[in-house]
Amino acid sequence: MRSIASSYASTAIFLTLALLIVQMEAKAIDEMSPSFHATSCPKLFPTVKPIVESAIKKEARMGASLLRLFYHDCFVNGCDASLLLDDAPNFIGEKNIPPNKNSTRGYEVIDEIKSAVEKMCPGIVSCADIIAIVARDSVSILGGPSWHVQLGRRDARATNAIVTNVSIPLPKANLKELVLRFRGIALKRRDLVALVGAHTLGEAQCHSFRERIYNESNMNKELAQKRRLKCPRSKGSGDANLAPIDAQTPIVFDNSYYKNLVQNKGLLHSDQQLFSGGKTDPIVRTYSEDQEAFFDDFASAMIKMGSVNPLIGPAGEIRLNCRRINPII
């Protein structure tokens, strides 16, 4: 009975937070705009995109990594660049908390972009806005949709290690957990399915899919055998070995991810949960057959996620260095 009560309590907390976020999101949409920096930093977009293109040209996987930074930032207290802060004497950063440690990457690319933007428009553009622009550019460069990024966010002056641990969806999550965590930031079931489609890019570490390739019955046997070659059964052996999440087109943003799910080729447990006899099956089926529908919904969901609890107006600050809060003068 206690576990049931605890589950109800957790659900109630997430729903309450979601309601608050919806209200704050509405306010944010009113105060944010794609043209927020049009006058104060008119060359912002042409400055950012070439650096993203260069980073992806050097390492195709970097596009997925940069996109992932946006997700992991927005899921923790909103899109406020708290993820970028290094550990400091007065707080623990989010980079080394389990969902991010040895997982999130691409921070040096953000540093390079921030440096270039600061030289052109000092003290104007937040790190939070830069992450949002970089996410959009990464997707479009790799063949996906583009969208008008809402701008005007400010940067957090603190991190939240506890929320990082409980908010970011994990590779072993079931569908109920995924829905709950996305609902916690006011995103609906269709938003969830569209946003997880970002897994059409990038790679996963062996430890995150070992259980699936060895023990799950709804895993395509041929793919499981292939992945076992570089992911031994024993924990601690080859844990960091990488495999593409989308084995078909791992460096192209398309709808192959959903085609894989329909064939039980989802690499992560959480991936295949989207097509496992639940309410998200029809959405997956639609995206697997209609790439434009996926692109439209993905772009819309990215705008929604980017409006989750941002710091706007006088809140927060415009960091001069994305890794450190500004000194108080």
Side-chain angles (χ1 to χ4, degrees), residues 212 216-224 246-249 255-267 271-276 281 284-285 288-289:
R212 174 150 172 76
E216 295 190 12
S217 60
N218 66 339
M219 175 74 183
N220 178 275
K221 289 182 173 56
E222 184 180 345
L223 181 60
D246 171 6
Q248 307 306 314
T249 55
N255 67 335
S256 291
Y257 168 78
Y258 300 103
K259 294 178 181 179
N260 292 337
L261 296 185
V262 171
Q263 301 175 64
N264 285 336
K265 291 182 178 180
L267 183 63
D271 288 330
Q272 197 59 54
Q273 283 288 291
L274 299 180
F275 193 81
S276 57
D281 281 18
V284 170
R285 180 77 69 181
S288 73
E289 298 171 351

Side-chain angles (χ1 to χ4, degrees), residues 37-75:
H37 300 299
T39 302
S40 58
C41 195
K43 295 183 179 180
L44 173 60
F45 295 139
T47 299
V48 173
K49 191 167 186 177
I51 299 175
V52 178
E53 288 175 326
S54 176
I56 292 175
K57 187 175 182 180
K58 289 177 184 175
E59 183 192 6
R61 180 187 171 207
M62 185 56 70
S65 299
L66 294 172
L67 175 58
R68 194 158 177 253
L69 289 179
F70 186 58
Y71 282 63
H72 282 230
D73 184 45
C74 292
F75 263 87

